[in-house]
Amino acid sequence: MPNDSIATSVPHARRGLSEPEPPWRDRVVDLGSDELVQHLVQALVRRVGELAGPHRVARKPLLDMTELGMRCLLVPVAPKVDEVLSPREREIARMVGLGYTNRSIAAVLEISLYTVSAHMRRIFTKLDVGSRAAMVAALSDNPDLYVAD
């Protein structure tokens, strides 16, 4: 098992002296094959996620920095709707997005109003939202929601 607490010191340039060129500057480096780099990136992502906490804003970058001429941007990826919601919940969320009321959803799907409400509660919980508008907004960047199953 790799040690996630590996730390290396990075020398800082002193005032008036230029920073030495990195040895890999003129070489093409295949970072995907370097296992140590992969483990370091995984540890970095885990730690930044821990620091951001569970209530972070979904679209806000967790990390945005430039180091050695490379921009590092770490943003959370919204999971696909079909990974989070059941097929029935997706169907109900789609209908809400199209403007259906709970009563009309119940009539179209031939289920009780109570069942629609139960599905809505589960959708709200899974998406961590508190209203229909917030639910639609949370699902607005998921084009697969409106693709037929």
Side-chain angles (χ1 to χ4, degrees):
M1 181 169 175
N3 184 357
D4 290 337
S5 63
I6 297 173
T8 60
S9 62
V10 178
H12 294 285
R14 293 184 184 156
R15 204 169 264 197
L17 299 174
S18 63
E19 190 171 328
E21 291 293 323
W24 59 84
R25 181 174 172 83
D26 295 326
R27 289 189 296 160
V28 176
V29 178
D30 181 13
L31 296 178
S33 66
D34 189 350
E35 191 174 329
L36 176 61
V37 172
Q38 289 177 355
H39 291 297
L40 288 172
V41 169
Q42 290 170 353
L44 172 68
V45 169
R46 273 194 303 274
R47 183 63 183 141
V48 169
E50 290 169 2
L51 293 173
H55 302 295
R56 62 183 175 263
V57 178
R59 297 179 196 264
K60 184 179 177 188
L62 300 175
L63 176 69
D64 187 359
M65 63 181 286
T66 302
E67 189 66 39
L68 300 173
M70 294 188 322
R71 183 175 183 197
C72 300
L73 184 62
L74 185 63
V75 292
V77 177
K80 291 182 153 232
V81 174
D82 57 350
E83 294 172 358
V84 177
L85 303 178
S86 71
R88 183 60 113 183
E89 290 167 346
R90 284 196 309 272
E91 185 176 21
I92 290 173
R94 182 184 61 79
M95 294 176 81
V96 169
L98 294 172
Y100 285 73
T101 63
N102 284 8
R103 189 173 305 282
S104 60
I105 292 170
V108 169
L109 298 179
E110 298 178 347
I111 57 178
S112 75
L113 187 57
Y114 180 81
T115 303
V116 174
S117 297
H119 282 299
M120 292 294 290
R121 284 191 301 276
R122 281 196 293 277
I123 294 169
F124 284 12
T125 301
K126 288 180 179 181
L127 298 179
D128 194 26
V129 297
S131 69
R132 295 167 76 91
M135 179 190 76
V136 172
L139 296 173
S140 65
D141 62 343
N142 285 290
D144 53 334
L145 181 64
Y146 295 100
V147 175
D149 288 333

